[in-house]
Amino acid sequence: MNVILFDIDGTLIRCGGAGLHALLVVMREEFGVEDPQPVPVHGCTDQGIVRELFRANGVTYTEDRWSKFMSLYLECLESELTRSKGHVLPGVQTLLESLSKQRDLYLGLLTGNVKRGAEIKLDRFGLRHYFRGGGFGDHHPLRDDVARAARKQVEEELGQKISEESLWVVGDTPADVQCGRAIGARVVAVCTGGSDRADLEPSAPDFLLNDLTECQAWLDEIQRGA
Ligand SMILES: [Mg+2]
């Protein structure tokens, strides 16, 4: 059984800044921070981003504030996405359609988005039905921990251990490559998001693609391992 875990932002879709915009709107309108300072989001988890956003804007992190923030953020994200100029990235639709027809292949997510945020983003672009489970950014500030949670969830769902040669992570930042390595996965990196080729090369992914239209050699490799 091959298992492929996809990152979302910069790998499957671009949201035209809707996510960061929604974060800042909530800080301003609901948390009373007049001119909120943005924080890095590429390759980060929602838990990590909100902790850093609170710190950068003088808000003390508590579980209650995190819950309140996220419920407002998710409402805001939905409306921001309808206005944003987001799009599905090149090759994604064709690749998912093809992978979804293969037997003995599990398609999941490994994303820093909280689960509901991931659903909202994938629904916006009609991609949610391709994916089963995976790991999300609800509980872990660090992406490597999301990866460990994703592997555990998939193994529990399938009722079997995943062998390392049949586990793949696909992402757009060095943090995606690193978290793939943390769970013994092979990694495909794409230059369609937060990092370019020069950023990604040092992390030494197994495949480094300009975008997912270039996926044939990788698909051949998956077939060999199937
Ligand atoms: Mg990403």
Side-chain angles (χ1 to χ4, degrees), residues 23-203:
L23 291 168
L24 298 177
V25 166
V26 175
M27 278 311 276
R28 189 169 54 243
E29 294 183 3
E30 306 293 342
F31 280 68
V33 178
E34 211 165 285
D35 184 18
Q37 295 305 303
V39 296
V41 295
H42 296 306
C44 303
T45 76
D46 281 351
Q47 252 288 333
I49 291 166
V50 170
R51 282 175 185 266
E52 188 55 24
L53 195 61
F54 280 8
R55 195 198 58 73
N57 290 284
V59 176
T60 304
Y61 180 92
T62 66
E63 288 297 319
D64 282 352
R65 285 199 182 118
W66 154 256
S67 299
K68 181 181 176 211
F69 187 95
M70 282 322 286
S71 70
L72 296 167
Y73 162 76
L74 292 169
E75 274 176 37
C76 192
L77 177 65
E78 222 160 353
S79 57
E80 289 293 331
L81 276 173
T82 59
R83 282 197 291 269
S84 79
K85 290 192 171 63
H87 58 275
V88 177
L89 285 160
V92 166
Q93 192 84 50
T94 307
L95 172 65
L96 293 177
E97 202 51 44
S98 155
L99 291 173
S100 67
K101 292 192 172 76
Q102 291 189 22
R103 291 175 61 237
D104 290 334
L105 190 141
Y106 181 104
L107 282 184
L109 297 163
L110 198 178
T111 172
N113 287 281
V114 293
K115 190 161 192 284
R116 184 64 196 130
E119 290 169 352
I120 289 170
K121 288 181 179 179
L122 293 174
D123 277 342
R124 165 72 177 82
F125 298 101
L127 300 177
R128 183 172 162 191
H129 65 283
Y130 290 113
F131 301 100
R132 291 166 68 177
F136 303 88
D138 299 70
H139 305 296
H140 303 293
L142 300 177
R143 198 173 189 91
D144 290 8
D145 292 327
V146 177
R148 291 184 188 101
R151 180 172 184 162
K152 184 164 180 277
Q153 187 276 320
V154 175
E155 288 182 337
E156 282 172 4
E157 184 183 338
L158 295 174
Q160 64 183 74
K161 290 282 178 201
I162 309 163
S163 72
E164 294 189 343
E165 62 273 20
S166 54
L167 177 60
W168 292 89
V169 168
V170 187
D172 70 304
T173 67
D176 294 78
V177 183
Q178 182 189 313
C179 82
R181 299 305 185 206
I183 55 169
R186 294 200 275 172
V187 181
V188 178
V190 287
C191 304
T192 45
S195 307
D196 61 18
R197 187 165 276 271
D199 291 331
L200 287 163
E201 253 162 8
S203 62

